[in-house]
Structure formats: C-alpha cells, structure tokens
Amino acid sequence: MNAPALKSILAGTPPADVGTPKSDLPEFIPADSPFSEEQRSFLNGLFAGVYAIAQNSGGDASPAAQTPLKVFFGSQTGTAESVSKDLRKYAGTMGFGAEIAELDTIAPADLTDLQHVLIVAATHGEGEPTDNAHKFHTALMDDGAPQLPASVNFSVCGLGDSSYPHFNQVARDFDARLEALGATRAAPLVTCDVDYDADYESWRKAVFEAPAFAEMAGTGAPAAPAEEDVSAPAFDKNHPFLATLMSSASLSGEGSAKTVNHIEISLTGGGEDVQYEVGDALGIWPLNDPAEVESLLQVARMSGAEVVEVKGSRTTLRQALYRSLDLAVITPKTAELWNVDVADDAQVIDVLAMRAQPLDPQALVDGLRSLQPRLYSISSSPKKHPGEVHLTVGEVHYELHGSPRKGVASTFLGSRLAEGAALGVYVQKASHFYLPDDPNTPLIMIGPGTGIAPFRAFLEEREVQGARGKNWLFFGDQHEACDYLYADQINSWLSSGLLSKLDLAWSRDSAEKVYVQHLIEKEGAEFFKWLEDGAAIYVCGDATRMASDVENAILSLISKHADTDEDGAQAYLEKLRGEHRYQRDVY
C-alpha cells in the first residue's frame, strides 16, 4: 500500500482507489494486490480496526493540542534560565506547550491574555531584581500596574541565598503583587536556597498537580524538546568535568594589599572536552581546608570518625565536613535546628564555640548547608588557548571576631590545590554577557580589579578574529605599581592598536581617590559619542557599589550630552539594554 493510502486510512477516510467492500467497511487491500487471500483478510481486518477508531474520534486522529504555558525568568548568572529550560522540558511531558522568555520582554499588561504563567526569579545584590527582570519588576510594582483577571493562573519559584538579609525578596515581590492585582496563585511560592534542587523539584511537582494546571493539561503527545534542550551540555553543576590545574601564579606585585592569581586549567581528556565561549563563567567545585575542618571538630568536641548521613549516603563526619558541607554560613535553618540566636556576622565555628553542650554529630551535619560551587568569569579566549580555560581570582582573606578567615574556593585554587591535581568544573553559559555578532561594533569595557577577567577574554577573542571594532577599556585598582593586572598584555594591545583607548584609575596613588566612574564622567563627551556611534557597554565587578556608581555616571553623562532629563536618560539606557548594548556581569 502506498503512503497516501495509508495516510487517508489514519485520517478516517478510505482511499479512493480501493474496491467496494461487501461489508460496511472499505476493502483496504484490493484483490489484485500481491498478497494471498489469508494475508489480505488479516490486513483488511487490521486496517478496518484502525479506520473504525479514526471514525469514532470524529475522523481526526491527530493528537490534541498542548495547553500553552509561559515561563518567564529573571537570571543574573544563568541559573534561573537553566531552571526555566528544565521547566519547559518537564512541562512538555505533562501536556503543556511551554515557551520561556526573559521577564523584561513583557509588560504586566501582557499577562492579561495568558492562562498559565510560571516565574523563576533570582534575587540580586541588596534584594534587587536581575538585570533582565528590572524593567518588569518596576512596572509590576508601580501603582499604575493593570488589574489582572482571575483566569491568570500563576506560581513563582525564587532562587536566592538565605545568608543574605533580603533572601528571595524579588520572588516574594512578584508573588504578592500578582495576587494583589487579581491573578490566581495556582501553587504556593517556593523560595529556594543555594542548594535549590530538592525545593525546585517539589515546587515543580506542586505546580503540575495543582487543579488549575492538572485539569487543563493538554492530552497530546509530549512536545519535542527545544533545540537547546536537545544539545544540553555533557557536564553541568551536578555532573562536573574532571579538569586539571595547570598553574596558579600571582598577578599582585610586592606591596599589594591583595592576592590575585592567574589560574590556568586544562579542559582536555576524559573522552569529551568542555567547550566554552568568551563571556561564560566557570563553575568550580572546591574542597574545604583540612586545617579548618580540624579546628571545627575541636570546637565541636568531636573526633571526626563519627558516622553521619549526608543526602542519603553514610560517611565519616570528617569527610562530610571536608567534601560536602559549608563550614562558614549560618542560615535561618541552622539557627532553628540548633536552637540558637545568631549574630548577623557569626559563622559556624563561632556558634559552636558558644554552646555549653556539644551537638549530636548528625544534628551538626543537618544544620549545615551543602558546599556549593563558585562561579568565576572566564578570562581567556578558547580560540587563543584551545583546550584551556583561564581565571582571574582574588583570594579572600579577612579577620572576624579576632581570628583570620578566608574564602573557600579562592584559596583552594590559589594556594591549596597542587599543579597537576584534579578538580571538578563546569561551564555556566552567559546568555546575557557576550560579544556582539558584528565584530565591527565598538566596545566600552569597564572592569576594575578582577572585573578585568572577561575583558581579557574579549580582547583575546577580538585579536584572534581580527575584529575591526574599536575597543575602550576602563580599569583600576589601588596602586599602579602592584595592582595593575595583566599590565604587559594590556599595554601591548594599546601599542598594537587593538585597544583604541585606555583609562586607568588608581584609588590610592594620590590624595584624592580616583575610581573608574570618575574617569567615565571626565570622558563624558567622548563616551556619549561612542554610544551614538553604536558602541556596546560592558560592566564587570562588584554589584554593591561599583556597578551602581558606574551606572549613575553613565546616566549623568547621557542626561548632559543628550540634553535630556533623568527619565530621558533612563529611557536611553533601557533602550541600550533592550538592544543588548548594555550588559553587566556583576556579583
């Protein structure tokens, strides 16, 4: 039988070229076909059954349409976007045709015509929305936000860090405001901590079991995975690649108050190599300092040989503390389980030292959150360094309650991991921090301190590409003599013409502290001319102070040189953001 004939059968219509049957059903296999009578009888019965089913279904055997679902996300490091992609894939198996988008691609009024809406929102900085959710958050919280019909069924999942005072504030804002505007909460808000997998999965389950979702799920076949879901990376946070440390060398000169290291890691071997692009971040799985583990055991009055359970696996307490648990951060869950009142800056060892009675070993473990990977901006181009990835990492050292403290991952890479040793890594794709498609686009890069990292990668990439676009770098730190990171490479780019313009700010080399935002203000006219000529702005570094100071400086120069007011300057910058000409990698 030919394909058109079979297609017509499945559609519930008998083929035009078959003989007239003696019964009420068509004879699908005609007498002159190359089959025996016994074979014809079997095949006619088979296709008659298919035909009858098609007839009973109204003559249309095509699958029912899937129920539309919109998933919106606000993501700074890429985690919320990754979760949204997983949500889209899962929704397809539950009868929903899901689409994902950044929150800033919609306005509150756009929600009016939607029935099923899910939001995955990270909280950034001091309880602020991420860069790609800022505009939507502002509009939603505004007094003029439109009322929403009760037919809009929503649920919100927040991603945050409970060690910060504004834990998941943005997700809480969205959840409360959507309900206040009239939408229907289909499933309760879930506020995930850094170890988010279990909470996210419970939220996802609750959403699709909620009546508003379960009763409206489509009955069609599961949706085909989106292209990026099909080509998911072989290595991720939960399945890291076993890389090799090639070298760790200090970039800080004598007399510097900081220790900044240039880290080189091999990504080859193990069958499948890790791929990345400039702008991406590298996730590092650190191990705790054995000396800190011993200090904590001593204060806790435990030997370390005690057997405990961590996520369903039994191990010794010492190994759990070394490999699996965060030894510093006190969360609300910690305080509750240990029944203690905790000062804002207290760490685990401080709380244990204050206890009159030692904790049970399992209670100690249960009160600690999981050790998490750290993300570092990649500072190399894979085109210039194939099979390698470079990082620019400042070691974290400080004093607290009269004793020295240090960062886990930064010192793991800088001073505790031996060259040639293995470490778990994965690439965090940067969908919001990447080079323009057009290599002729001028770039303005602002990255003081270790914020230089992605711009070293950008410039290496453009150098290898032979890109003709102009490049302007703003860099700074405390002292030129000892804190000028990658000075030789930067100066060589200036000499070769790859760097068209370089502005350096040294905050401790003069009586007056000079920061990059001051240089931006000073170069306001030229800066604005570059913007008018199509330049893209990139900012990398501290989110709390530097990034906001830089943005204020940019807004000020736009207002001055575009001859507009504050609202006009904001609109200009939002337009740049919407065109991906204002991108930030801030932390």
Side-chain angles (χ1 to χ4, degrees):
M1 183 182 298
N2 58 29
L6 180 59
K7 183 177 180 181
S8 69
I9 292 170
L10 295 176
T13 307
D17 59 349
V18 299
T20 302
K22 296 179 181 179
S23 67
D24 291 337
L25 291 174
E27 185 181 35
F28 297 100
I29 308 299
D32 60 354
S33 65
F35 297 105
S36 68
E37 283 299 315
E38 188 175 28
Q39 289 171 325
R40 284 183 63 235
S41 177
F42 171 78
L43 291 171
N44 273 322
L46 173 65
F47 288 120
V50 174
Y51 174 69
I53 293 171
Q55 288 288 88
N56 291 335
S57 66
D60 184 4
S62 61
Q66 291 201 314
T67 300
L69 168 65
K70 293 289 188 179
V71 180
F72 299 108
F73 65 88
S75 185
Q76 196 71 28
T77 65
T79 303
E81 181 176 7
S82 177
V83 166
S84 298
K85 289 178 179 177
D86 174 83
L87 195 57
R88 173 179 58 195
K89 186 176 180 180
Y90 182 82
T93 70
M94 302 300 289
F96 288 85
E99 297 178 355
I100 69 172
E102 299 176 359
L103 278 161
D104 272 0
T105 62
I106 61 167
D110 296 331
L111 300 176
T112 303
D113 298 325
L114 303 179
Q115 255 194 305
H116 296 91
V117 176
L118 299 177
I119 292 177
V120 181
T123 294
H124 180 60
E126 299 297 314
E128 300 165 5
T130 59
D131 284 356
N132 62 349
H134 188 272
K135 183 171 68 173
F136 177 79
H137 182 268
T138 300
L140 189 72
M141 304 307 290
D142 189 82
D143 290 341
Q147 288 294 305
L148 300 174
S151 58
V152 178
N153 299 295
F154 76 92
S155 187
V156 179
C157 178
L159 300 179
D161 185 337
S162 62
S163 66
Y164 286 86
H166 303 286
F167 176 57
N168 268 308
Q169 184 59 52
V170 172
R172 298 177 196 275
D173 288 347
F174 286 149
D175 179 71
R177 185 61 170 156
L178 288 171
E179 183 185 43
L181 291 173
T184 300
R185 184 187 293 105
L189 165 73
V190 168
T191 54
C192 301
D193 208 339
V194 289
D195 190 10
Y196 62 84
D197 295 297
D199 286 340
Y200 159 65
E201 288 174 9
S202 68
W203 172 76
R204 187 182 68 180
K205 183 173 184 289
V207 164
F208 290 100
E209 288 181 351
F213 278 71
E215 293 172 5
M216 293 296 293
T219 57
E227 183 177 346
E228 59 262 44
D229 295 336
V230 174
S231 57
F235 306 100
D236 58 24
K237 175 185 174 184
N238 296 319
H239 306 91
F241 176 80
L242 201 61
T244 304
L245 179 67
M246 297 169 59
S247 64
S248 174
S250 177
L251 294 171
S252 304
E254 185 177 352
S256 175
K258 306 176 181 181
T259 301
V260 178
N261 298 309
H262 176 74
I263 311 292
E264 298 188 356
I265 296 170
S266 172
L267 297 177
T268 60
E272 187 173 353
D273 294 347
V274 175
Q275 306 296 324
Y276 70 91
E277 298 176 356
V278 297
D280 290 343
L282 191 72
I284 299 289
W285 275 104
L287 297 172
N288 283 311
D289 187 340
E292 291 192 356
V293 171
E294 295 307 316
S295 295
L296 191 145
L297 286 170
Q298 184 177 5
V299 170
R301 288 164 277 182
M302 298 175 191
S303 69
E306 296 87 351
V307 176
V308 294
E309 187 173 296
V310 180
K311 292 187 175 181
S313 297
R314 291 170 65 82
T315 185
T316 65
L317 177 58
R318 177 177 282 103
Q319 284 299 307
L321 296 175
Y322 176 54
R323 297 181 177 278
S324 306
L325 300 170
D326 190 318
L327 305 188
V329 176
I330 294 289
T331 69
K333 177 186 174 183
T334 311
E336 180 182 355
L337 286 175
W338 293 357
N339 192 27
V340 291
D341 293 324
V342 182
D344 290 341
D345 62 350
Q347 295 184 350
V348 172
I349 197 166
D350 304 315
V351 174
L352 294 177
M354 291 187 296
R355 289 187 62 88
Q357 297 295 325
L359 285 166
D360 174 81
Q362 189 62 52
L364 171 63
V365 167
D366 291 343
L368 299 179
R369 74 178 187 183
S370 298
L371 187 62
Q372 293 296 308
R374 271 56 166 179
L375 292 174
Y376 292 102
S377 302
I378 291 175
S379 59
S380 57
S381 162
K383 292 182 174 65
K384 188 174 180 66
H385 307 281
E388 299 178 10
V389 62
H390 300 175
L391 306 176
T392 309
V393 180
E395 290 191 24
V396 176
H397 294 274
Y398 59 102
E399 188 170 294
L400 181 65
H401 301 307
S403 63
R405 310 290 167 96
K406 58 189 177 184
V408 176
S410 64
T411 56
F412 174 70
L413 289 170
S415 56
R416 290 193 285 113
L417 192 64
E419 292 184 5
L423 69 161
V425 306
Y426 64 96
V427 172
Q428 181 75 59
K429 301 302 294 182
S431 56
H432 313 298
F433 198 80
Y434 51 85
L435 281 171
D437 293 332
D438 183 358
N440 295 315
T441 302
L443 304 187
I444 300 174
M445 297 164 283
I446 305 162
T450 55
I452 188 65
F455 305 135
R456 178 180 185 263
F458 280 16
L459 289 165
E460 285 189 342
E461 183 89 351
R462 286 200 139 188
E463 183 179 34
V464 174
Q465 288 178 333
R468 301 180 65 86
K470 297 192 298 181
N471 301 294
W472 186 354
L473 176 64
F474 288 86
F475 173 72
D477 211 311
Q478 293 186 355
H479 300 285
E480 182 175 11
C482 54
D483 297 312
Y484 193 170
L485 309 181
Y486 302 113
D488 291 343
Q489 196 170 18
I490 290 172
N491 288 324
S492 70
W493 285 330
L494 192 62
S495 298
S496 70
L498 179 68
L499 259 182
S500 310
K501 193 169 174 59
L502 174 65
D503 279 276
L504 302 170
W506 308 113
S507 63
R508 302 295 191 275
D509 278 351
S510 61
E512 182 180 357
K513 293 183 178 180
V514 179
Y515 297 104
V516 288
Q517 62 266 25
H518 300 138
L519 301 184
I520 292 169
E521 292 168 354
K522 182 180 178 182
E523 295 283 357
E526 182 73 5
F527 196 108
F528 185 71
K529 183 179 185 304
W530 276 53
L531 295 184
E532 291 290 279
D533 290 341
I537 310 170
Y538 295 85
V539 182
C540 181
D542 171 57
T544 306
R545 295 186 59 183
M546 183 278 296
S548 59
D549 288 343
V550 164
E551 182 164 306
N552 288 335
I554 294 171
L555 286 169
S556 177
L557 72 87
I558 291 172
S559 180
K560 178 179 178 181
H561 297 285
D563 193 21
T564 186
D565 58 14
E566 183 179 337
D567 289 342
Q570 285 283 2
Y572 188 106
L573 196 60
E574 283 302 325
K575 184 173 184 294
L576 294 182
R577 199 191 306 268
E579 296 170 350
H580 298 288
R581 289 174 54 206
Y582 179 46
Q583 301 183 39
R584 306 196 311 167
D585 175 16
V586 295
Y587 37 83

